[in-house]
Amino acid sequence: MKQVEKTKDSLVTVTQKSSSPLTTWLVKSLSLSPFPSSGFFFSLSHTNSGLCLYLNTELGVLYWRLNPENYENDAELKKIREDRGYNYMDLLDICPEKVADFKEKLKNFYTEHIHADEEIRYCLEGSAYFDVRDRDDRWIRIWIKAGDLIILPAGIYHRFTLDTGDYVKLMRLFVGEPVWTAHNRPQEDHPARKEYIKNLVTEKVGAALEAY
């Protein structure tokens, strides 16, 4: 199955295996532009599932495929929240019409950073990109769409941006009172970063990927 993602420079054609709902790329450019040219990505169509598994077992990024049309009564979402202690929830629309100082906010989101806690995002509508650093400090781009729930572990370097649709509706989950503080790179002495690196070195940080 081919999907065409329009960038501001050109078209990137990605062949995605139908059994792999989470679309991912390995980034081969250091460009800071959220909408790079077509040469920006390695297309990993033949190993997309393997890259998703690598995100999970090696980098600690967790993923579930859920039904966004039934999020208010979804038993699987309820179980995830109960099992992981996510007692806080809110909904966030990110688009030019609903976010004040939109361009500046998006610039901040796209600045490489970590958090002291997990970042849990469930895409209900629209689509967007999360980029995460791998063990070799390369970017892996994750294209989240409606139904994708991902959890980024505390301490992982990452960034966020919209795709050319300029709209995403996200559910944010958190344990206790939410803290959204971003700590921009470098943060090698931050306790969350030290713990993340320790886990990378001593053990595989992920659990079994729910979607595969």
Side-chain angles (χ1 to χ4, degrees), residues 44-77:
L44 293 179
S45 57
H46 59 295
T47 57
N48 194 54
S49 293
L51 186 57
C52 291
L53 190 62
Y54 172 75
L55 280 168
N56 174 249
T57 59
E58 298 292 335
L59 303 182
V61 177
L62 304 182
Y63 170 74
W64 285 263
R65 181 71 179 173
L66 303 175
N67 179 7
E69 297 179 0
N70 189 40
Y71 72 88
E72 293 179 308
N73 302 297
D74 189 338
E76 187 174 3
L77 176 60

Side-chain angles (χ1 to χ4, degrees), residues 63-103:
Y63 170 74
W64 285 263
R65 181 71 179 173
L66 303 175
N67 179 7
E69 297 179 0
N70 189 40
Y71 72 88
E72 293 179 308
N73 302 297
D74 189 338
E76 187 174 3
L77 176 60
K78 181 180 179 182
K79 184 177 187 304
I80 292 168
R81 292 187 61 182
E82 290 176 348
D83 289 348
R84 301 184 67 86
Y86 299 146
N87 58 325
Y88 175 89
M89 183 274 285
D90 69 9
L91 302 179
L92 178 67
D93 288 298
I94 303 178
C95 60
E97 297 76 19
K98 294 189 177 182
V99 176
D101 300 318
F102 174 74
K103 289 185 178 179

Side-chain angles (χ1 to χ4, degrees), residues 6-204:
K6 184 182 292 185
T7 72
K8 289 185 176 178
D9 299 319
S10 60
L11 296 178
V12 178
T13 303
V14 178
T15 304
Q16 182 189 359
K17 294 175 71 173
S18 60
S19 60
S20 303
L22 188 65
T23 307
T24 54
W25 297 276
L26 178 65
V27 177
K28 67 176 181 180
S29 169
L30 296 180
S31 169
L32 294 179
S33 169
F35 302 108
S37 67
S38 59
F40 188 77
F41 301 115
F42 287 118
S43 174
L44 293 179
S45 57
H46 59 295
T47 57
N48 194 54
S49 293
L51 186 57
C52 291
L53 190 62
Y54 172 75
L55 280 168
N56 174 249
T57 59
E58 298 292 335
L59 303 182
V61 177
L62 304 182
Y63 170 74
W64 285 263
R65 181 71 179 173
L66 303 175
N67 179 7
E69 297 179 0
N70 189 40
Y71 72 88
E72 293 179 308
N73 302 297
D74 189 338
E76 187 174 3
L77 176 60
K78 181 180 179 182
K79 184 177 187 304
I80 292 168
R81 292 187 61 182
E82 290 176 348
D83 289 348
R84 301 184 67 86
Y86 299 146
N87 58 325
Y88 175 89
M89 183 274 285
D90 69 9
L91 302 179
L92 178 67
D93 288 298
I94 303 178
C95 60
E97 297 76 19
K98 294 189 177 182
V99 176
D101 300 318
F102 174 74
K103 289 185 178 179
E104 187 63 27
K105 288 286 180 62
L106 210 59
K107 180 180 177 182
N108 291 339
F109 293 156
Y110 201 63
T111 300
E112 187 174 358
H113 61 277
I114 67 169
H115 297 292
D117 302 281
E118 291 178 334
E119 182 164 346
I120 308 101
R121 297 293 183 268
Y122 179 18
C123 182
L124 300 177
E125 299 175 14
S127 50
Y129 297 125
F130 277 99
D131 297 338
V132 299
R133 290 286 191 185
D134 74 357
R135 289 172 176 265
D136 298 315
D137 214 32
R138 300 171 300 182
W139 283 118
I140 294 176
R141 171 152 289 189
I142 306 167
W143 190 16
I144 62 166
K145 300 175 286 295
D148 292 334
L149 185 154
I150 67 168
I151 301 174
L152 305 184
I156 191 172
Y157 282 125
H158 65 283
R159 61 190 183 187
F160 169 87
T161 193
L162 297 180
D163 59 20
T164 52
D166 261 356
Y167 174 72
V168 70
K169 184 184 189 71
L170 298 172
M171 175 186 292
R172 302 189 296 185
L173 301 172
F174 205 85
V175 177
E177 288 299 314
V179 179
W180 312 122
T181 305
H183 304 278
N184 292 345
R185 189 171 185 173
Q187 291 293 331
E188 304 313 312
D189 291 329
H190 192 286
R193 181 63 184 173
K194 287 184 174 180
E195 184 66 19
Y196 179 71
I197 293 298
K198 176 185 174 183
N199 289 337
L200 282 182
V201 171
T202 59
E203 59 185 71
K204 294 184 184 297

